């Protein structure tokens, strides 16, 4: 089964509008011949400016979070309609920083993913174990629980619009990467969880990224693994040249 890899930047809380314009102006020509799908998930305040610059390019526009309600008394939150109006195509849900610092749970991840799908926005659903979970041999149990939780009530017809990102939390922003074998093995566990839920065809078709200190040096080795279908890139997405070197890994 050949799956088109997707490499997405996660800018986190970085880049003003001015910096967004500078970064994307430099990036667009550098990645125009990419052989994979490319996306940048940017802070809410940068979405409109990024959308203007990315129109007509091969870089897809993404956001970093979404609320599940259509509208209402949710101060500080952003709805699917608001993102849709800005032509957002992808949205990260359940990033470990949201789980750790903002009380995100498997249930809210599921609600956010469903809200995105209901408006035609593709969720990048993040799963991954904490260091102590890895050290106590719970990695598989954690990613299976998170995967099962994220997909509750999601129709099989929607699966083509979902990307999963396996991000071991201890590897995010730390410079530590899972070995390509470990990453591949855990992604196979996640793929098997999708198989248990939706069957082999769906599991084989599901794109599952690796994320966690992925950069120009380790991208080729990680991408050579059979289960790894791209990357969610934090630090190495913040400079055009660095991100280009990840995107053009082959
Ligand atoms: C991330 O934020 O999803 C991430 C993987 O960050 P980094 O690449 O910096 O580890």
């Amino acid at each position: 089964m050949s799956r088109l890899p997707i490499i997405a930047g996660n800018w986190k809380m970085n880049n003003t509008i001015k910096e967004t314009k500078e970064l994307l102006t430099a990036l667009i020509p550098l990645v125009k011949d990419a052989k994979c799908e490319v996306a940048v998930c940017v802070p809410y305040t940068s979405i409109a400016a990024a959308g203007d610059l990315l129109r007509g390019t091969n870089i897809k526009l993404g956001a970093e979070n979404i609320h599940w309600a259509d509208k209402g008394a949710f101060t500080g939150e952003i709805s699917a309609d608001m993102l849709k109006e800005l032509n957002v195509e992808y949205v990260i849900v359940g990033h470990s920083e949201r789980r750790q610092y903002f009380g995100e749970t498997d249930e809210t991840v599921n609600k956010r993913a469903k809200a995105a799908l209901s408006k035609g926005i593709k969720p990048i659903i993040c799963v991954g174990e904490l260091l102590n979970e890895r050290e106590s041999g719970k990695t598989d149990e954690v990613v299976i629980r998170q995967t099962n939780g994220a997909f509750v009530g999601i129709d099989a017809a929607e699966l083509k619009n979902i990307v999963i990102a396996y991000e071991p939390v201890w590897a995010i922003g730390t410079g530590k990467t899972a070995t390509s074998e470990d990453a591949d093995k855990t992604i196979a566990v996640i793929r098997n969880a999708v198989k248990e839920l939706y069957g082999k065809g769906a599991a084989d078709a599901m794109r599952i990224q690796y994320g966690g200190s992925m950069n120009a040096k380790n991208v080729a080795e990680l991408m050579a693994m059979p289960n790894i279908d791209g990357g969610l890139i934090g630090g190495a997405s913040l400079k055009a040249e660095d991100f280009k070197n990840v995107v053009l890994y082959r």
Side-chain angles (χ1 to χ4, degrees):
M1 159 73 59
S2 81
R3 297 176 290 263
L4 179 68
I6 170 166
I7 295 192
N10 171 18
W11 287 6
K12 314 193 190 203
M13 197 172 72
N14 293 293
N15 292 326
T16 61
I17 294 174
K18 180 171 175 287
E19 290 161 343
T20 295
K21 289 179 180 166
E22 287 165 0
L23 175 47
L24 291 180
T25 302
L27 183 66
I28 289 165
L30 293 178
V31 301
K32 69 178 181 7
D33 297 320
K35 295 193 176 59
C36 61
E37 196 172 349
V38 184
V40 286
C41 299
V42 307
Y44 293 136
T45 47
S46 288
I47 291 175
D52 286 344
L53 282 166
L54 296 182
R55 198 167 302 117
T57 77
N58 62 330
I59 306 178
K60 309 281 176 63
L61 179 63
E64 297 178 18
N65 197 12
I66 186 170
H67 197 262
W68 55 82
D70 282 346
K71 57 168 68 177
F74 299 100
T75 303
E77 293 290 330
I78 299 285
S79 74
D81 279 333
M82 294 169 183
L83 296 180
K84 197 67 194 166
E85 191 176 37
L86 293 169
N87 299 313
V88 164
E89 187 168 338
Y90 284 99
V91 64
I92 298 171
V93 297
H95 192 277
S96 64
E97 288 150 19
R98 305 283 330 163
R99 292 181 192 256
Q100 275 185 297
Y101 309 138
F102 300 98
E104 199 78 71
T105 64
D106 294 342
E107 191 189 349
T108 57
V109 170
N110 174 247
K111 287 163 84 169
R112 292 181 203 276
K114 285 199 281 203
L117 290 167
S118 75
K119 305 289 176 175
I121 299 172
K122 300 169 185 159
I124 298 174
I125 297 172
C126 300
V127 300
E129 80 286 3
L130 300 167
L131 183 59
N132 70 310
E133 291 168 335
R134 164 159 291 241
E135 286 174 346
S136 54
K138 296 212 173 98
T139 298
D140 293 2
E141 180 188 324
V142 169
V143 297
I144 292 167
R145 192 204 72 224
Q146 291 175 336
T147 304
N148 287 342
F151 282 83
V152 171
I154 291 182
D155 199 83
E158 291 285 14
L159 296 182
K160 61 181 184 308
N161 297 320
I162 297 175
V163 174
I164 300 175
Y166 166 56
E167 300 207 303
V169 180
W170 48 271
I172 296 178
T174 58
K176 290 185 194 141
T177 327
T179 64
S180 46
E181 287 76 17
D182 277 350
D184 194 68
K185 201 166 129 272
T186 305
I187 290 178
V189 170
I190 296 165
R191 200 176 294 291
N192 194 56
V194 175
K195 181 176 154 206
E196 297 283 314
L197 292 171
Y198 296 99
K200 184 169 184 322
D204 285 347
M206 177 62 66
R207 292 188 295 175
I208 309 182
Q209 302 171 307
Y210 169 78
S213 299
M214 199 166 176
N215 58 39
K217 290 203 179 82
N218 56 32
V219 61
E221 190 187 328
L222 287 158
M223 290 301 294
M225 302 309 288
N227 277 297
I228 302 183
D229 305 319
L232 187 56
I233 318 295
S237 70
L238 295 176
K239 290 201 178 112
E241 193 68 23
D242 290 349
F243 194 50
K244 175 208 78 170
N245 288 332
V246 176
V247 168
L248 303 185
Y249 63 94
R250 59 169 181 188

